Amino acid sequence: MASLSAAISHSSSHVALAHNTKPKKIRQSQCRTLPLPHRSPICRLGFVSQGGSKEASNTRVFTSVKDVLLDESAEKVQLPKGDTWSVHKFGGTCVGSAERMKSVGNIILNDDSERKLVVVSAMSKVTDMMYDLINRAQSRDESYISALDAVLEKHRSTALDLLDGDDLGSFLSQLHHDVNNLKAMLRAIYIAGHATESFTDFVVGHGELWSAQMLSAVVRKNGIDCKWMDTREVLIVNPTSADQVDPDYLESEKRLENWYSKNPSQIIIATGFIASTPQNIPTTLKRDGSDFSAAIMGALCRAGQVTIWTDVDGVYSADPRKVNEAVILRTLSYQEAWEMSYFGANVLHPRTIIPVMRYNIPIIIRNIFNLSAPGTKICHPLVSDKEENQTVESLVKGFATIDNLALVNVEGTGMAGVPGTAHAIFGAVKDVGANVIMISQASSEHSVCFAVPEKEVKAVAEALKSRFRQALDAGRLSQVAIIPNCSILAAVGQKMASTPGVSATLFSALAKANINVRAIAQGCSEFNITVVVKREDCIKALKAVHSRFYLSRTTIAVGIIGPGLIGSTLLEQLKDQAAVLKEEFNIDLRVMGITGSRTMLLSESGIDLSSWKELQKEKGEAADLQKFVQHVHGNHFIPNTVLVDCTADSAIASHYYDWLRKGIHVITPNKKANSGPLDQYLKLRALQRQSYTHYFYEATVGAGLPIISTLRGLLETGDKILQIEGIFSGTLSYIFNNFMGKVAFSEVVTKAKQAGFTEPDPRDDLSGADVRRKVIILARESGLKLELSDIPEKSLVPEPLRASASAEEFMQKLPQFDQEMSKKLQDAEDAGEVLRYVGVVDVVKQKGVVELRRYKKDHPFAQLSGSDNIIAFTTTRYQKQPLIVRGPGAGAQVTAGGIFSDILRLASYLGAPS
């Protein structure tokens, strides 16, 4: 015990010797009567004020009583207040090396403000190093000595690079003096095995003292008068129970005026982070203390503005590590900045904003490494309103998230109407010291839900179950449920909650991204809407809402299945339009995967469509549909996924239901799903109606023609479909448009095949199976519950040739049956008519028909040319004169165009401007 007391006494003596402050500027008339620099009195053991003096003596000496009287009567310089002051704060990264300190010096000198007050942090990593010294000493780890030597060397080497002459010698002398004092104090801590809070605060504050002294010397090297301030002489704070401090503005203002009267200067370099208690005991401003220091100093001198220098260009609309398209916000109101920082955005700590709000002092956040960037201005909302139009988009300024949370839901009918229920719940939570981040409560108190950090939820649950044990046993309380693995997403904006449609837009964006919201909180402050989602959905949700509010592009992950003729044509169209869609329509279509039946190509960021075929050969892997879908849909950085099935494969179509159920949108020209078993079709449509997942298939009937959308438009506006009649096959349209005169039917089919209008086996077209599928799709869209088997097959393939071994054999034998088709043609011509292969949906009779019909030469169906399709809608409104849709109904270009149109329609539904 004796040795411990001796060590502490020894340490204290060293601390007492360290009480020195900066020399007061002495008027020439005083030089003879004050042989030693002025020193402020030492108020209490442990308050150490560092100065740059090289004098060995630290004791105030007067040669006579006359000296004292002269000193006390010295003329005081009054502190000027107002916007002539600009306050700058530089963090540890900004002063992390000699080179960076020089850059900071240049910024200070280039500021044309009349007066400048600069608040600096410790050099990068130094505060952590100082805390580490305490921890090592407390743990009786002697390596604290070598760790302190590393701190000494870091500052010594920086000073050698920065300073010279008397400034260098003075600083190094003070540095070694401080380090010797720290060694003595750390030795006492080592022996005691414990460090008090004031001892700890005293030790860690040295980093700021040293950086402020060096920076002031850097400015003086340019011939500019500059003083450095130990803010422990000025800032007085009262500790609170929440490990924070409350500034004493009145006392701090008095001390600042007193300090300035003795140290008048147009440039002051002040220490950040550190302060003193009213008893003059060293303390710190806790978390983000340097920013807080700058805001307090700005308020004390009523500065024109406070600039916080950091390593980012400003405040982002969302975390740029999660949302690549996050943008820098030009302005934020104080309240918006407050809300965003509460929810984890890298803005400012909420308490930093309080001092400047009082005097409407704007805060500018700027990047020291990008001086051309204007940064973000945090100011009074009226200024913000003038600078930005108050649209729905600008009202939602940004989004922030908090991860690693759990929801606690206390529920029971016995809670309803019972006074004090909420008080009892949160009293129990308070008793275990948990931090409640969000609360959502039903008005009846039947259910109270709140979010706490996941590491605290176990203690909270146990406390609640203990507190309400009787109510749980009696059934008045049904459960205390824990929902782990949650995240909070907050939308922040000035007055957004009072603007109609903002909440609807937010929740619509989440629903369309297939995000389930577990809890909601919206206060009457009008500055934020908070939702709780699954942790794994957090980034996806953030991307979705950020995109929806036009802060970034509407990004969709695209998977192409079937890169054949239609699929490859679609990829070419996507490549050609990609730049236009991004620049003009804010749509970013990322093809994340392309798969055929044998090979697939996957990408993490999007395939280069100008060379996808080459990439498929070089980097392609064995096709695996499950892996393909998981890859395209599993990218959490893209909120929306669409699979485009360009095949005619019924096996692929059988997956649509599962994809839609997982929140994957589906677009396809594949007719197999909608013309397959009726029950499967009805399941698909029911799922589509009850979710925000989209299933588009315009190209299944008319390639690029708007047939499905026209039919839906008629039905949705209350019209009644009577009949749909049309030429749905581009191949059969071409054949019968050219089957005239003396030309044989087989000859026309041969020309159509050579021109690429038919399938490789023309029987697939001549069988009418394609038309039957289109008719059944339209019949079902019209409300008829028909199976494909309900439509009689009327094939144009002669019966004997239906079993031909190959397409070549069929084509060789087809001329043998020309006579039958020639007779049908002649009969039609004799009657002044033409032959057309049509499909008909008779809604009145509830049936579908596919057959070869004859039409008068003045009928619209007789006016076709080439491979055009034509569809006539006879409805209650269009009964006398049917609504006609006509145009190219076949070919890779128009079919791919129809698919592309569906993709853009999906983008519009997901938030892209139309």
Side-chain angles (χ1 to χ4, degrees):
M1 182 64 77
S3 61
L4 174 60
S5 301
I8 294 177
S9 174
H10 175 71
S11 169
S12 300
S13 65
H14 277 273
V15 174
L17 290 173
H19 293 297
N20 46 13
T21 56
K22 284 176 17 60
K24 173 184 171 184
K25 184 174 182 179
I26 303 168
R27 295 168 55 195
Q28 195 158 4
S29 61
Q30 296 174 298
C31 289
R32 293 180 183 176
T33 56
L34 292 177
L36 292 177
H38 171 78
R39 300 294 177 190
S40 60
I42 301 166
C43 299
R44 181 177 288 261
L45 183 65
F47 187 132
V48 180
S49 197
Q50 304 299 337
S53 173
K54 291 186 287 183
E55 271 78 16
S57 172
N58 295 300
T59 307
R60 177 71 187 271
V61 178
F62 295 104
T63 56
S64 66
V65 174
K66 181 181 177 182
D67 292 345
V68 179
L69 296 175
L70 278 172
D71 179 73
E72 291 179 348
S73 63
E75 181 184 345
K76 290 190 175 183
V77 179
Q78 189 173 3
L79 172 71
K81 295 180 181 179
D83 56 12
T84 58
W85 285 101
S86 68
V87 175
H88 295 264
K89 179 264 173 176
F90 295 94
T93 305
C94 301
V95 292
S97 66
E99 205 58 43
R100 289 183 180 176
M101 279 202 185
K102 290 176 184 176
S103 299
V104 168
N106 290 332
I107 290 173
I108 296 169
L109 294 170
N110 290 331
D111 179 0
D112 57 6
S113 302
E114 186 177 341
R115 297 177 177 87
K116 288 160 276 192
L117 195 155
V118 180
V119 176
V120 292
S121 299
M123 293 179 70
S124 180
K125 309 294 185 188
V126 167
T127 300
D128 290 339
M129 294 170 76
M130 303 304 281
Y131 274 116
D132 182 56
L133 293 176
I134 297 288
N135 293 334
R136 294 189 190 207
Q138 284 187 130
S139 303
R140 294 195 170 97
D141 180 352
E142 291 192 352
S143 65
Y144 77 85
I145 298 172
S146 58
L148 182 57
D149 289 340
V151 173
L152 169 66
E153 180 55 31
K154 182 179 180 73
H155 290 85
R156 193 186 74 83
S157 61
T158 303
L160 289 172
D161 288 341
L162 278 176
L163 311 177
D164 50 37
D166 289 344
D167 280 334
L168 176 62
S170 176
F171 175 76
L172 291 179
S173 174
Q174 187 64 52
L175 177 65
H176 284 282
H177 180 75
D178 292 343
V179 168
N180 286 334
N181 286 340
L182 288 173
K183 280 182 179 177
M185 180 167 283
L186 290 168
R187 179 64 183 170
I189 293 171
Y190 175 89
I191 294 170
H194 173 70
T196 64
E197 184 178 354
S198 58
F199 268 38
T200 300
D201 288 343
F202 169 73
V203 171
V204 299
H206 278 74
E208 279 72 18
L209 294 168
W210 296 328
S211 61
Q213 291 174 63
M214 284 192 286
L215 185 58
S216 63
V218 169
V219 175
R220 285 197 301 272
K221 280 182 69 175
N222 291 274
I224 306 296
D225 179 39
C226 175
K227 301 287 195 309
W228 81 273
M229 175 195 292
D230 179 354
T231 48
R232 293 179 300 188
E233 298 177 27
V234 173
L235 293 188
I236 302 302
V237 297
N238 293 297
T240 70
S241 59
D243 193 33
Q244 292 189 359
V245 293
D246 291 331
D248 184 335
Y249 289 100
L250 288 176
E251 179 62 25
S252 297
E253 196 164 352
K254 289 178 185 176
R255 295 202 181 197
L256 176 61
E257 290 173 350
N258 184 54
W259 185 94
Y260 188 84
S261 71
K262 300 170 185 175
N263 301 276
S265 179
Q266 290 186 318
I267 301 179
I268 299 171
I269 311 295
T271 56
F273 184 57
I274 56 177
S276 293
T277 67
Q279 296 76 32
N280 294 324
I281 298 174
T283 187
T284 66
L285 299 183
K286 316 305 177 188
R287 179 185 168 195
D288 294 315
S290 294
D291 289 347
F292 197 18
S293 298
I296 296 170
M297 297 304 292
L300 292 178
C301 62
R302 314 295 192 267
Q305 71 177 37
V306 175
T307 304
I308 307 291
W309 292 90
T310 180
D311 56 359
V312 293
D313 286 345
V315 180
Y316 284 88
S317 55
D319 187 339
R321 294 167 298 183
K322 297 177 180 178
V323 181
N324 294 334
E325 298 84 1
V327 297
I328 296 292
L329 300 173
R330 285 173 43 224
T331 62
L332 280 174
S333 71
Y334 294 122
Q335 291 85 353
E336 286 168 339
W338 194 326
E339 293 284 353
M340 288 188 71
S341 63
Y342 175 80
F343 287 101
N346 187 21
V347 187
L348 294 170
H349 193 279
R351 63 183 180 157
T352 302
I353 299 166
I354 296 172
V356 294
M357 278 181 67
R358 183 177 303 179
Y359 302 104
N360 291 333
I361 301 170
I363 297 177
I364 315 295
I365 298 178
R366 295 192 61 190
N367 189 351
I368 193 169
F369 304 114
N370 183 13
L371 299 181
S372 62
T376 298
K377 185 176 186 179
I378 300 172
C379 52
H380 193 277
L382 291 177
V383 178
S384 180
D385 289 350
K386 290 176 184 176
E387 294 192 8
E388 295 195 43
N389 295 325
Q390 292 302 295
T391 62
V392 171
E393 288 74 33
S394 65
L395 287 171
V396 181
K397 284 294 184 67
F399 302 90
T401 58
I402 303 177
D403 295 321
N404 303 318
L405 301 176
L407 276 180
V408 181
N409 187 42
V410 184
E411 189 175 306
T413 54
M415 295 167 57
V418 178
T421 301
H423 178 269
I425 291 172
F426 294 110
V429 175
K430 177 180 179 293
D431 289 343
V432 296
N435 179 28
V436 177
I437 296 170
M438 186 208 82
I439 303 170
S440 179
Q441 178 182 325
S443 59
S444 65
E445 291 191 343
H446 168 72
S447 171
V448 177
C449 173
F450 56 94
V452 296
E454 207 157 37
K455 62 184 179 181
E456 298 173 359
V457 72
K458 184 177 179 182
V460 169
E462 290 174 355
L464 288 172
K465 288 174 182 177
S466 174
R467 172 66 180 78
F468 293 100
R469 173 57 54 201
Q470 187 177 354
L472 285 165
D473 292 342
R476 296 194 306 275
L477 203 65
S478 57
Q479 64 172 345
V480 175
I482 305 299
I483 305 170
N485 303 319
C486 293
S487 292
I488 278 180
L489 168 65
V492 175
Q494 182 80 25
K495 297 182 181 178
M496 68 175 187
S498 62
T499 303
V502 176
S503 296
T505 303
L506 175 74
F507 291 111
S508 173
L510 292 171
K512 289 176 179 179
N514 205 40
I515 304 294
N516 183 37
V517 176
R518 294 187 162 184
I520 303 165
Q522 179 175 336
C524 59
S525 65
E526 302 184 347
F527 293 114
N528 88 70
I529 301 172
T530 304
V531 298
V532 178
V533 298
K534 292 180 183 177
R535 183 191 299 160
E536 59 264 31
D537 289 338
C538 185
I539 294 177
K540 187 177 178 182
L542 181 61
K543 292 279 289 185
V545 294
H546 193 272
S547 173
R548 182 61 186 89
F549 282 94
Y550 305 92
L551 295 174
S552 66
R553 298 188 179 101
T554 299
T555 308
I556 304 175
V558 183
I560 304 292
I561 304 171
L565 182 59
I566 293 172
S568 59
T569 304
L570 174 63
L571 287 165
E572 188 69 22
Q573 292 177 356
L574 289 171
K575 181 202 75 175
D576 292 342
Q577 283 295 106
V580 175
L581 290 175
K582 283 183 182 180
E583 293 169 13
E584 296 186 18
F585 299 97
N586 226 16
I587 299 171
D588 185 2
L589 301 176
R590 304 268 186 95
V591 178
M592 310 300 288
I594 302 170
T595 184
S597 58
R598 296 181 180 178
T599 310
M600 66 180 180
L601 174 64
L602 306 177
S603 170
E604 293 294 333
S605 57
I607 296 169
D608 181 0
L609 298 185
S610 63
S611 57
W612 69 269
K613 291 182 179 178
E614 292 79 4
L615 289 170
Q616 191 175 42
K617 291 177 182 177
E618 295 172 12
K619 300 181 179 180
E621 53 187 284
D624 182 332
L625 188 61
Q626 184 178 355
K627 181 179 178 182
F628 175 82
V629 173
Q630 186 177 356
H631 172 84
V632 177
H633 185 51
N635 191 322
H636 291 292
F637 288 90
I638 302 178
N640 303 294
T641 304
V642 61
L643 293 176
V644 183
D645 175 19
C646 297
T647 73
D649 192 336
S650 57
I652 301 293
S654 68
H655 292 283
Y656 292 177
Y657 183 84
D658 287 335
W659 294 344
L660 291 169
R661 199 159 48 84
K662 291 176 182 176
I664 302 172
H665 307 287
V666 176
I667 293 174
T668 185
N670 186 346
K671 293 176 279 291
K672 297 297 173 64
N674 287 8
S675 62
L678 179 63
D679 60 334
Q680 292 183 18
Y681 166 80
L682 293 175
K683 276 180 65 179
L684 275 177
R685 292 306 310 276
L687 179 62
Q688 183 185 13
R689 282 198 233 14
Q690 69 189 22
S691 71
Y692 281 95
T693 311
H694 296 283
Y695 172 41
F696 295 146
Y697 43 86
E698 186 72 74
T700 58
V701 175
L705 296 180
I707 297 172
I708 299 288
S709 56
T710 299
L711 174 57
R712 283 195 178 167
L714 292 169
L715 292 170
E716 288 167 1
T717 56
D719 204 352
K720 185 177 181 182
I721 308 297
L722 303 176
Q723 179 178 277
I724 304 171
E725 183 180 12
I727 297 172
F728 296 105
S729 168
T731 301
L732 296 177
S733 175
Y734 177 86
I735 288 173
F736 285 100
N737 286 337
N738 289 278
F739 182 41
M740 59 183 68
K742 302 297 182 182
V743 182
F745 182 75
S746 60
E747 187 179 339
V748 176
V749 174
T750 300
K751 287 183 179 179
K753 187 175 186 300
Q754 291 171 347
F757 287 117
T758 72
E759 294 292 334
D761 189 337
R763 285 176 293 182
D764 294 340
D765 298 295
L766 296 173
S767 68
D770 182 62
V771 179
R772 288 174 69 223
R773 289 189 179 276
K774 292 177 179 178
V775 167
I776 202 70
I777 291 171
L778 291 175
R780 289 173 175 177
E781 291 290 314
S782 302
L784 301 183
K785 295 183 178 180
L786 299 178
E787 293 282 9
L788 189 61
S789 58
D790 293 331
I791 300 179
E793 183 179 346
K794 294 294 180 71
S795 177
L796 297 176
V797 180
E799 182 70 34
L801 299 185
R802 292 178 188 178
S804 296
S806 64
E808 289 73 19
E809 181 183 337
F810 165 75
M811 292 301 295
Q812 288 174 1
K813 294 181 178 179
L814 184 60
Q816 299 173 17
F817 300 89
D818 280 342
Q819 187 174 357
E820 182 182 347
M821 289 300 296
S822 295
K823 185 177 186 310
K824 289 181 180 180
L825 176 62
Q826 189 61 51
D827 290 346
E829 289 181 343
D830 291 345
E833 297 173 336
V834 296
L835 293 174
R836 295 292 184 262
Y837 193 88
V838 298
V840 180
V841 177
D842 191 331
V843 179
V844 177
K845 295 181 180 179
Q846 297 193 352
K847 68 175 186 176
V849 177
V850 171
E851 62 186 6
L852 188 64
R853 287 185 175 181
R854 289 167 27 175
Y855 294 89
K856 293 293 184 182
K857 291 187 178 180
D858 60 352
H859 191 279
F861 286 15
Q863 310 301 315
L864 288 186
S865 60
S867 60
D868 280 4
N869 283 5
I870 186 168
I871 295 90
F873 293 92
T874 303
T875 72
T876 304
R877 294 175 189 162
Y878 296 95
Q879 195 162 0
K880 293 182 179 178
Q881 187 175 357
L883 176 64
I884 302 290
V885 178
R886 173 182 171 176
Q893 287 291 339
V894 292
T895 303
I899 300 168
F900 200 168
S901 178
D902 273 349
I903 294 174
L904 296 182
R905 184 151 60 108
L906 172 64
S908 178
Y909 286 180
L910 295 177
S914 55

